[in-house]
Amino acid sequence: MFLQQRGKDLSDLQIQYIKGVGPQRAKLLSRLGIKTVKDALYYLPHRYEDRSNLKKISDLRYGNVETVSGRVISAEVKRLTGRNLKIFELTVSDGSGLLKGKWFNQPFMKKNFRVGQEVMLCGTVKKTYSGIGFEMDNPEYEITSDDGDLLIHTNRVVPVYRVTSGLSVRQIRSIMFNLINTCIKDVYDPIPVEILRKNGLPGLSESLSQVHFPDTGIDIGFLNRGVSEFHRRLSFDELFMLELGLAVMKRGSVLEKGIAFNPEGRLLKRLIDMLPFRLTKAQEKVFTEILMDMKRPHPMNRLIQGDVGCGKTVIALMAMTVAAECGYQSALMVPTEILAEQHYINIHSVVEDLGLKICLLTGSKKERPLGEIASGEINIVVGTHALIQEGVMFKNLGLVVIDEQHRFGVKQRALLRKKAIDPDVLVMTATPIPRTLALTLYGDLDYSFIDELPPNRRPVETLLFSPGQKEAIYRFIREEIKEGRQVYVVYPVIEESEKTDLRSAIRGKAAFEKSFPEFRVGLIHGRIKAQEREEIMASFKRGELDLLVCTTVIEVGVDVPNATLMLIIHAERFGLAQLHQLRGRVGRGAHRSYCSLIAYEPHREEARRRLDIMVRSNDGFRIAEEDLNIRGPGEFFGTRQSGMPDLKIANIVRDARLLNKARREAFSLIDRDPDLKGFPLLRKSLEAFWEGKVELFKTG
Ligand code: ADP
Ligand code: MG
């Protein structure tokens, strides 16, 4: 946030010049990302300890996390006989009993302690081997007899900060204490006071001071979960700045001039007549929304969400056909070259049948028909996101379709806007996002939702296997193929390598050919040329192959209703979204379908949870929610790449309700005062928040 000190920005005030810091410590602090006073004030404790009434050692309970204060009785390194393990043992007494702290294989810890010193230990209380007294493994510690200030370090709920070597938690705490006392009065609160009042939020300086040194009586559970009212205030600030930025962007694009497409509809009708299926109601509804956007004289900015297999590609195709009919070019962009090729393979013949010209443009492709793109001869270009960065010249780019929102964020969208023209933009997510979150996070976009799958999709039964159940798996494959069905086997890598010991598609193919000489086995992966890949896919579709060994290239748009079994090898290696996407390739016909996940040990707890969710659910939105829980919002959304500012304090999952409030306030404020003329300091801190990501306000 924007903090002022007598007209001076606290983010310009170097931490070095604060009392008790100096050049040496400033260097250490910068390792923690603290360079200015503002950085320091926003360097929040990662947890809190209640030292307002310390437990006596004799009152400790096994299994509880406790903090104890006492005097060092002994400090020695012990060696476990027969094992190459050194244990540093610290014995502490507080007069009521003995407590042992143990650190494994850290003999250097010994030099930190002297007999007679006062220390505090915090950790989980365990029984000792002999049963007498208590111990803690790897407790956090603090040496309390070094320097004095009892008011800062004890007799209260104390903040615990992440440290760096050379700087103890006590030293950081003292610096913070001093900082709060000297600078907090100069903190300027940029959030309009009505908004604070309406939402019952405390002031900024009070909040900063309380999150560092909470008054007694504040629930320590709330503090530790980051949801005390003071934490919430700081979270609100971040969310408000986030939403305010989105509101400004949205407003900007609403006002901008764009293309008013005016299609006759003949080409579109031909496309619809050519489709081998009827559009679902949901597809029709969403396309109507798109068409309305396209006809308006402002740029479209629309997000299309829907579960895997709901049929987003055909919607994109329809929109691109409309653009072509009106004499405009379209670009279809995806995150990787393989995906681009796969999309091209899937749509080029339909497009060509319409009499339109389409080309694939990727970095590794040698002939690049740049001339034909520039002359307008080519109607549709399929490529990666690099399309917009490499300065490809279009004659008249009217529509940009972006598949896979997650890796294409506000930053890239802003880049598009900067190009001379203002094309309509359609964003399609490959991974569903919980609806309320999508609404608030992609607040600069309009939003359409395909809430229906094409008819005759059946829930896929998902089973988890261990490699030891090979016989059962083989029997399963044999039964399906004997019934006339087809099988996919997905591998994480094309070829074995020295770096990993993963099973590979190439080896897998050989193994299946050997085990099933009576079946026809095919192989497809990203190193096979696109044209050849297209032929292999076509022959699988015609039923000329029984079993297709593949990599994740088949994740996109592959549609073989007769394929009823998918085996995913090393399922523990795939992300949830990807597993769900892959599984969407089966369950497309009248027959019952299965997905068998084969997981190799050892795998982490997190992988286990992913696999469990896959077995339990077929619903992409449920799966996305769980994914969000497991990975946390930062990784889930890939915020850094997408150009969304990092959230340091708020957590969009935990603070979902606060996010909604922040959104409402932000959009209503921008409605009333689009340029924030009445709130110059808020505007300045907003720009600082988005700095280096997106330029919100046009300069001049
Ligand atoms: P996604 O939304 O996951 O990108 P796709 O666009 O790849 O889904 O569509 C999945 C498959 O469903 C494609 O093979 C497509 O041809 C088919 N499909 C799309 N719409 C319909 C429909 N209305 N009825 C039947 N099949 C459809
Ligand atoms: Mg798709």
Side-chain angles (χ1 to χ4, degrees):
M1 301 307 106
F2 185 71
L3 308 173
Q4 274 210 323
Q5 188 178 43
R6 284 175 214 97
K8 200 174 165 193
D9 193 334
L10 281 190
S11 53
D12 289 336
L13 201 60
Q14 297 302 308
I15 192 76
Q16 175 173 348
Y17 305 113
I18 294 301
K19 193 173 136 245
V21 182
Q24 201 56 40
R25 282 188 175 169
K27 218 186 223 162
L28 294 172
L29 284 168
S30 79
R31 280 204 241 141
L32 298 171
I34 302 174
K35 297 202 168 74
T36 66
V37 168
K38 181 192 150 186
D39 295 336
L41 289 175
Y42 281 91
Y43 190 75
L44 302 193
H46 74 103
R47 60 180 190 87
Y48 299 82
E49 265 178 41
D50 190 351
R51 298 184 184 167
S52 54
N53 48 31
L54 293 173
K55 274 258 165 66
K56 276 201 206 142
I57 292 178
S58 57
D59 292 341
L60 291 178
R61 290 265 175 282
Y62 297 125
N64 288 357
V65 176
E66 303 276 17
T67 308
V68 163
S69 173
R71 194 175 294 275
V72 175
I73 303 286
S74 75
E76 50 199 50
V77 176
K78 293 193 171 161
R79 194 181 281 274
L80 269 197
T81 41
R83 286 212 282 157
N84 194 16
L85 188 65
K86 283 179 185 166
I87 303 177
F88 170 63
E89 274 190 21
L90 186 76
T91 310
V92 168
S93 158
D94 69 350
S96 78
L98 292 183
L99 172 68
K100 239 178 219 168
K102 285 187 174 177
W103 287 264
F104 299 89
N105 274 334
Q106 300 176 53
F108 49 84
M109 289 285 293
K110 182 169 160 46
K111 69 177 178 347
N112 297 341
F113 298 95
R114 273 175 289 110
V115 171
Q117 250 172 350
E118 289 282 344
V119 296
M120 278 190 175
L121 300 182
C122 173
T124 307
V125 181
K126 288 177 45 177
K127 243 190 191 121
T128 61
Y129 187 66
S130 65
I132 305 164
F134 304 89
E135 60 181 49
M136 293 176 175
D137 290 345
N138 288 307
E140 295 209 26
Y141 70 94
E142 221 174 295
I143 294 160
T144 45
S145 51
D146 282 0
D147 56 357
D149 210 331
L150 288 182
L151 266 181
I152 305 179
H153 305 291
T154 47
N155 296 320
R156 66 183 311 146
V157 171
V158 297
V160 181
Y161 299 91
R162 293 194 197 287
V163 298
T164 180
S165 75
L167 206 56
S168 70
V169 68
R170 265 176 108 72
Q171 287 164 330
I172 298 180
R173 195 181 295 131
S174 296
I175 293 169
M176 291 296 187
F177 193 78
N178 176 39
L179 208 60
I180 297 284
N181 281 328
T182 54
C183 297
I184 208 73
K185 62 183 184 310
D186 300 312
V187 167
Y188 178 87
D189 195 337
I191 309 288
V193 69
E194 315 82 61
I195 293 182
L196 295 179
R197 210 170 288 148
K198 205 169 117 202
N199 294 284
L201 296 165
L204 182 56
S205 41
E206 185 190 3
S207 301
L208 281 169
S209 132
Q210 289 291 335
V211 294
H212 286 284
F213 293 94
D215 286 346
T216 39
I218 300 178
D219 188 317
I220 189 160
F222 286 177
L223 289 169
N224 274 324
R225 268 178 287 135
V227 295
S228 73
E229 66 172 315
F230 305 106
H231 282 93
R232 282 168 54 79
R233 157 67 216 253
L234 300 181
S235 298
F236 180 88
D237 287 5
E238 274 191 338
L239 298 170
F240 184 68
M241 291 300 174
L242 177 73
E243 292 297 330
L244 208 52
L246 294 173
V248 171
M249 278 186 260
K250 171 135 191 193
R251 178 152 185 114
S253 68
V254 166
L255 295 178
E256 254 165 73
K257 271 210 177 30
I259 305 159
F261 291 90
N262 185 16
E264 219 179 280
R266 260 193 313 189
L267 206 53
L268 180 64
K269 187 168 177 312
R270 269 185 53 203
L271 170 65
I272 292 174
D273 290 344
M274 274 162 58
L275 295 177
F277 49 75
R278 288 188 49 165
L279 294 176
T280 61
K281 282 248 151 40
Q283 283 171 316
E284 276 176 5
K285 178 197 75 190
V286 166
F287 184 70
T288 309
E289 290 166 352
I290 293 169
L291 200 56
M292 271 169 18
D293 280 358
M294 289 181 78
K295 289 178 176 173
R296 277 193 204 107
H298 304 289
M300 163 166 73
N301 264 301
R302 188 168 284 278
L303 174 72
I304 311 286
Q305 268 232 94
D307 205 346
V308 170
C310 70
K312 294 181 285 285
T313 315
V314 67
I315 303 277
L317 207 50
M318 287 162 70
M320 294 194 291
T321 305
V322 167
E325 185 173 346
C326 298
Y328 286 93
Q329 294 168 293
S330 306
L332 172 61
M333 303 201 298
V334 296
T336 67
E337 296 204 348
I338 289 288
L339 286 173
E341 283 180 6
Q342 213 49 48
H343 267 298
Y344 176 81
I345 289 172
N346 287 329
I347 64 174
H348 77 94
S349 53
V350 179
V351 172
E352 282 155 6
D353 286 350
L354 286 173
L356 299 176
K357 266 195 107 168
I358 179 168
C359 79
L360 175 67
L361 196 74
T362 60
S364 64
K365 206 162 160 283
K366 292 208 184 60
E367 343 101 55
R368 296 157 63 90
L370 296 177
E372 286 163 276
I373 297 173
S375 72
E377 214 175 305
I378 286 179
N379 306 95
I380 296 174
V381 181
V382 182
T384 62
H385 297 163
L387 258 182
I388 55 161
Q389 276 135 14
E390 286 173 352
V392 175
M393 293 300 295
F394 288 83
K395 177 156 181 262
N396 55 1
L397 181 61
L399 173 67
V400 173
V401 181
I402 298 153
D403 203 355
E404 285 232 46
Q405 161 67 15
H406 281 182
R407 282 169 262 183
F408 193 94
V410 280
K411 191 175 184 169
Q412 288 84 349
R413 266 180 265 142
L415 200 63
L416 258 183
R417 286 271 104 74
K418 274 200 170 164
K419 302 219 137 186
I421 20 135
D422 261 319
D424 280 15
V425 176
L426 196 58
V427 175
M428 308 194 293
T429 66
T431 314
I433 304 162
R435 187 173 189 152
T436 48
L437 270 185
L439 269 174
T440 42
L441 279 178
Y442 301 111
D444 60 325
L445 300 173
D446 292 308
Y447 180 80
S448 293
F449 186 55
I450 306 182
D451 55 0
E452 178 185 7
L453 291 178
N456 74 37
R457 290 286 158 80
R458 291 169 138 236
V460 177
E461 192 174 326
T462 303
L463 308 155
L464 188 58
F465 287 97
S466 67
Q469 293 166 287
K470 193 166 161 186
E471 278 315 308
I473 298 165
Y474 275 31
R475 211 177 315 126
F476 202 165
I477 294 176
R478 196 166 281 125
E479 277 165 16
E480 286 300 300
I481 298 180
K482 286 246 166 84
E483 290 286 312
R485 305 285 85 76
Q486 289 162 286
V487 177
Y488 297 103
V489 185
V490 186
Y491 282 86
V493 291
I494 300 174
E495 216 170 356
E496 243 96 316
S497 82
E498 286 172 6
K499 271 178 272 166
T500 68
D501 50 1
L502 297 178
R503 279 127 195 104
S504 74
I506 290 179
R507 277 258 193 114
K509 185 195 182 219
F512 281 110
E513 274 175 335
K514 204 162 155 221
S515 309
F516 300 111
E518 70 274 35
F519 297 143
R520 296 158 300 172
V521 178
L523 173 68
I524 194 169
H525 56 69
R527 286 220 305 266
I528 293 175
K529 284 215 179 67
Q531 202 184 340
E532 204 179 320
R533 233 187 291 149
E534 188 169 359
E535 284 156 18
I536 298 168
M537 262 340 290
S539 78
F540 186 64
K541 192 158 181 160
R542 285 194 300 267
E544 295 160 12
L545 295 169
D546 301 304
L547 188 148
L548 186 62
V549 174
C550 53
T551 57
T552 55
V553 286
I554 59 137
E555 167 179 321
V556 182
V558 167
D559 191 29
V560 182
N562 191 48
T564 52
L565 172 60
M566 171 176 284
L567 247 58
I568 303 181
I569 314 290
H570 280 300
E572 80 283 359
R573 287 306 188 105
F574 292 89
L576 263 179
Q578 201 164 31
L579 288 172
H580 183 58
Q581 188 88 24
L582 285 168
R583 181 172 60 181
R585 302 302 119 200
V586 290
R588 288 163 171 262
H591 304 284
R592 209 174 162 68
S593 291
Y594 307 89
C595 177
S596 300
L597 306 172
I598 299 167
Y600 287 81
E601 300 286 347
H603 52 260
R604 291 187 298 159
E605 164 66 19
E606 201 186 298
R608 182 89 216 165
R609 280 171 69 190
R610 285 200 299 265
L611 299 172
D612 283 346
I613 294 159
M614 286 299 294
V615 171
R616 279 202 322 268
S617 180
N618 263 294
D619 175 351
F621 288 88
R622 271 282 335 272
I623 290 171
E625 229 163 275
E626 296 279 358
D627 200 12
L628 195 56
N629 284 335
I630 294 176
R631 287 199 286 161
E635 246 193 87
F636 180 85
F637 290 104
T639 41
R640 201 158 285 136
Q641 297 167 49
S642 73
M644 207 69 114
D646 271 340
L647 299 177
K648 297 199 181 71
I649 302 171
N651 171 323
I652 47 175
V653 178
R654 179 193 66 197
D655 301 323
R657 283 173 63 189
L658 204 58
L659 177 61
N660 276 323
K661 282 187 186 177
R663 175 182 169 78
R664 215 174 315 121
E665 295 297 349
F667 275 72
S668 115
L669 183 62
I670 292 302
D671 243 11
R672 280 174 280 143
D673 186 352
D675 296 315
L676 296 176
K677 284 209 176 66
F679 305 90
L681 288 169
L682 176 61
R683 175 167 159 154
K684 199 170 166 195
S685 58
L686 177 64
E687 285 177 315
F689 186 78
W690 283 84
E691 199 183 347
K693 310 272 183 198
V694 177
E695 203 178 316
L696 289 177
F697 300 96
K698 296 242 157 64
T699 38

